[in-house]
Amino acid sequence: MPKRLLHFLLPAATGVIFILVWYAIRFSMNEEMQFLLPTPGEIIASFRDNGDSLARAALNTTEGALLGFAGAIVISAALALTLSLSSLIRISLYPYLMMLQMIPVIIFAPILILWVGPGLKSVVVITFLICFFPLVVNTTQGLISTDRNSVELFRMYRANRLQEILLLRVPAALPYFFTGLRIAAVLAPIGALVGDYTAGSSAGDGGGLGFQAIIYSSQAKYPALFATAAVTCVLGFVFVGVVVGLSWLALHHWHDSYERTDT
Amino acid sequence: MAATPLVELHDVTKRYGAGPLVLDRVSLAVQPGDFISLIGPSGCGKSTLLRLIAGLSPVSGGTLHVDGRTPEQAAAELAFVFQEPTLLPWLTVAKNVGLPQQLRGLSATDRAATSRRVLDLVRLGDRSAAYPRQLSGGQKMRVSIARALSLSPKILLLDEPFGALDEMTREHLNEELLAIRQQQAWTAFFVTHSVAEAVFLSNRIVVMAASPGRIHTEITVPLAYPRTAATRLSRDYHDLVAEVSRILRSVESAAA
Ligand SMILES: Nc1ncnc2c1ncn2[C@@H]1O[C@H](COP(=O)(O)OP(=O)(O)O)[C@@H](O)[C@H]1O
Ligand SMILES: [Mg+2]
C-alpha cells in the first residue's frame, strides 16, 4: 500500500475506534450517570443550540489570543535583539525574565483586574505573559549562536554591525525563532482561555471560551462544555497550523529540518 | 629584487594576549604573482599568519605591509577562503557569491553580473539558483572560491581549502585553481598539509617549524606554468615532492 494512503488511513481508523469505544463506555454506564459523558451526537447537537454564544466566545478568545501572541512576538523580538548585543545585558536581565515566567496566572489575575480591569485587556496581558518567555529565550539563543566562521567572513569583508545583524544573525536565528513560535502558538489559545477563566468578563462584547465554560457548567449544559473543549482544540490547531505553514515558507528551502528525503 | 613586494613581513611576531609566542620573527617578501604554500606541523601558526595578513588579528611585533599599506587599509585587495566553505545556507549560490559586493553596497544588477562571471569561472554557472545543501563538498568549496574572487582581489588567502575533500576531488580543484589563475593574476597564500598539493600549485613553498612558529626553509619550485595533470607524472615533480616530504619530516620529528 502506498505510504501516503497509510498516513491518511491509520489516523482515520484510530478515530473510528476511539468513537466506538466512546459509545461503548457511554452505553455501559447507568442511565443516571450518562450525563457525565455525552455522545458525539449530543455534542454536535449542542453546537446547534448554543451556536451563537459559542461563536461569540470563540471570536473573543481568538481576539485575545491573537493580540497577546502578536504583542509577545514583537516585544520578544526587540528584547532578544537587545539581549543578543552583550552578555552583560543578558546576565543583568535573565533572572528577572525567569521571575516573569514564574508568576502564576492564578495569583496575577486579580492584580491585573485591579490594574486594567477584567475582560479583553486582562486576557491579552495574560496571553502575552505566557507566550513571551519561550519566544525570548529561543530567539536570543538563535541570535547568539551564529556560526563563528560566518562571523569571521563578515568581519573579513568589513561588514558593519547593522549588516551583520540583518544579513547574518537574524536569518541564522530564524529556525530558533520558529521553535519558540511553535511553542508560543500552542500556548496562546491556552493562555487566552486561562486568562478568560480567571479574569474574563461578560461586560461589553461578552466573555471568551473560558468565561463561557463557567456559564455552561453552572447551567449544567455538559454537552456544550464538551463543545467548548472541541472549539478550543480547533483554535489551537489553527494557531499551530498557521505557524507550521509560515515556518515551512521561511525555512524549507535551506534548513536541515526540511531536508528532502527521497524515500 | 625586481618589483616592490606586494606583501612584506619583517620580523613579525605574534602572541595571543599573554600566551606563548605563536610566531617568532617571520620575514617574507612576496612578489605579485607568487603562489606561496605554507606547510608545517599543526599548531605552528600557519592560520595565524594568514589571519595577520588578512588584518583579522594584529601583529605583536615587527612590520607587515600589504600593497604598501597596513592590512586594514588594504582590505579591498584581500580575500579569504576558509577551511569550511562557510556559505550562508539560506542564500542561493548566486546570492552567496554576491555577498561581499552586497556588504560593499553594490547594486543588485552589478552583483548578479559578477556572480555569473565568477561562477562560470569555477564551472558552476548552471547551479546559481541552487541552495548550498544541494551541492557536494567540492562544489561548495568552488562556490566559496568564486565568492572570494568576486571582488577581484589582488591577494587570495586560502587556509587548507581542500583539506576535507577526497584525493580525486582535490586534484581536480588544484588544476582548476591554476586554470583560473591563468585568467586572473592574483597572488596566493595557500596553507596545506599535502606536500603534493603544495608542489603542484606553488612557485614557493615555505616550510614552517613549531614552538615557536617560525620559517624553517623556503623551497623554490621551478616547474613551469601552466601545470596540468601531466605535470604530476614528471620526474621533476616527483623529486620535489620527495625533497619537501623529507624536509617536512625532519621538522616534524624535531617537534615531536
Ligand atoms: N584566537 C586564538 N587565541 C589564542 N591562541 C590561539 C588562537 N588562535 C590560535 N592560537 C594558538 O596559536 C598556535 C598556532 O595556531 P594556528 O595558527 O591555528 O596553527 P596552524 O594553523 O598552523 O595549525 C596554536 O598553539 C594555537 O593554540
Ligand atoms: Mg590552521
Side-chain angles (χ1 to χ4, degrees):
Chain A
M1 201 185 298
K3 217 171 184 173
R4 210 169 264 276
L5 204 60
L6 270 180
H7 272 273
F8 174 76
L9 280 182
L10 287 180
T14 314
V16 169
I17 293 171
F18 181 71
I19 289 174
L20 287 178
V21 171
W22 186 330
Y23 273 102
I25 294 175
R26 153 80 184 215
F27 289 114
S28 66
M29 287 168 125
N30 291 333
E31 193 98 11
E32 64 271 26
M33 297 298 277
Q34 285 187 353
F35 74 93
L36 287 176
L37 187 66
T39 61
E42 285 167 344
I43 294 171
I44 289 167
S46 83
F47 268 108
R48 219 176 27 242
D49 303 338
N50 304 283
D52 283 352
S53 57
L54 263 179
R56 193 160 28 77
L59 266 181
N60 286 336
T61 296
T62 307
E63 187 183 6
L66 265 183
L67 287 175
F69 187 51
I73 294 171
V74 172
I75 295 182
S76 70
L79 183 63
L81 268 176
T82 314
L83 288 171
S84 74
L85 293 180
S86 121
S87 61
L88 292 180
I89 301 179
R90 285 197 291 284
I91 295 167
S92 318
L93 293 183
Y94 249 77
Y96 302 101
L97 279 173
M98 294 289 284
M99 268 175 64
L100 201 64
Q101 165 76 357
M102 299 298 168
I103 301 173
V105 171
I106 304 291
I107 309 288
F108 195 56
I111 302 177
L112 255 184
I113 292 175
L114 214 59
W115 285 352
V116 300
L120 183 65
K121 281 187 201 157
S122 286
V123 171
V124 170
V125 174
I126 288 171
T127 308
F128 171 90
L129 286 176
I130 288 184
C131 293
F132 187 62
F133 193 71
L135 278 168
V136 174
V137 171
N138 281 286
T139 310
T140 307
Q141 193 58 41
L143 287 169
I144 61 177
S145 307
T146 317
D147 170 47
R148 271 197 56 82
N149 285 323
S150 303
V151 175
E152 288 253 285
L153 181 79
F154 272 62
R155 302 261 151 90
M156 179 73 212
Y157 290 113
R158 305 300 189 270
N160 60 41
R161 194 71 201 235
L162 189 66
Q163 289 175 321
E164 187 181 313
I165 290 173
L166 289 182
L167 298 176
L168 178 60
R169 291 196 186 269
V170 168
L174 278 183
Y176 294 80
F177 167 73
F178 276 109
T179 302
L181 201 63
R182 257 182 239 209
I183 300 170
V186 175
L187 293 177
I190 297 173
L193 212 69
V194 172
D196 196 49
Y197 193 87
T198 51
S201 155
S202 62
D205 51 357
L209 290 167
F211 196 77
Q212 203 58 50
I214 301 175
I215 294 174
Y216 290 147
S217 156
S218 70
Q219 296 172 339
K221 286 187 174 174
Y222 299 116
L225 216 47
F226 278 77
T228 312
V231 172
T232 314
C233 280
V234 171
L235 191 59
F237 268 116
V238 171
F239 265 74
V240 173
V242 168
V243 167
V244 167
L246 286 177
S247 168
W248 182 85
L249 276 180
L251 303 179
H252 78 282
H253 279 306
W254 62 274
H255 197 251
D256 288 342
S257 58
Y258 295 94
E259 189 79 76
R260 243 167 281 155
T261 43
D262 299 315
T263 46
Chain B
M1 274 285 127
T4 51
L6 181 59
V7 178
E8 189 167 28
L9 295 92
H10 186 71
D11 279 348
V12 167
T13 60
K14 174 68 183 176
R15 55 175 93 237
Y16 289 99
L21 202 55
V22 173
L23 289 175
D24 184 21
R25 281 170 294 144
V26 172
S27 297
L28 192 64
V30 177
Q31 306 300 329
D34 270 348
F35 197 120
I36 312 268
S37 280
L38 298 169
I39 197 164
S42 84
C44 72
K46 305 179 293 293
S47 298
T48 299
L49 191 55
L50 285 200
R51 293 170 52 81
L52 294 182
I53 298 170
L56 287 171
S57 184
V59 301
S60 308
T63 55
L64 167 56
H65 288 297
V66 177
D67 207 20
R69 296 166 283 170
T70 67
E72 286 78 18
Q73 290 164 337
E77 319 294 348
L78 293 157
F80 210 115
V81 178
F82 298 95
Q83 179 160 14
E84 283 85 38
T86 320
L87 304 177
L88 303 185
W90 54 86
L91 295 181
T92 61
V93 164
K95 293 220 167 94
N96 263 292
V97 170
L99 182 72
Q101 291 187 307
Q102 187 178 6
L103 295 175
R104 291 270 154 90
L106 272 77
S107 76
T109 14
D110 286 349
R111 270 149 39 198
T114 307
S115 285
R116 253 196 312 280
R117 185 172 53 78
V118 288
L119 279 173
D120 282 341
L121 219 48
V122 297
R123 297 189 301 109
L124 280 175
D126 55 335
R127 301 311 306 273
S128 62
Y131 284 84
R133 73 166 184 200
Q134 298 168 280
L135 304 181
S136 70
Q139 288 175 325
K140 283 182 197 161
M141 212 59 232
R142 273 146 68 192
V143 175
S144 184
I145 290 170
R147 178 180 60 196
L149 296 176
S150 68
L151 291 177
S152 308
K154 279 190 187 167
I155 301 160
L156 203 54
L157 307 164
L158 306 104
D159 194 352
E160 298 187 46
F162 308 140
L165 304 176
D166 61 87
E167 186 81 21
M168 280 280 281
T169 311
R170 179 197 299 210
E171 289 189 355
H172 271 298
L173 287 177
N174 284 169
E175 289 152 29
E176 226 165 84
L177 195 62
L178 287 186
I180 293 169
R181 214 167 74 102
Q182 294 292 114
Q183 305 170 49
Q184 301 193 325
W186 26 265
T187 302
F189 286 82
F190 189 100
V191 174
T192 178
H193 271 126
S194 156
V195 171
E197 191 173 51
V199 171
F200 182 76
L201 290 173
S202 24
N203 64 327
R204 297 165 66 185
I205 300 175
V206 173
V207 181
M208 294 179 65
S211 328
R214 60 194 185 279
I215 293 181
H216 177 271
T217 331
E218 187 185 318
I219 298 142
T220 305
V221 181
L223 304 173
Y225 293 97
R227 297 177 190 168
T228 61
T231 308
R232 291 202 188 87
L233 305 174
S234 76
R235 178 77 199 262
D236 290 345
Y237 171 83
H238 280 283
D239 290 347
L240 277 159
V241 170
E243 185 195 344
V244 178
S245 298
R246 187 180 49 73
I247 295 171
L248 192 61
R249 255 199 312 280
S250 77
V251 170
E252 279 176 340
S253 64

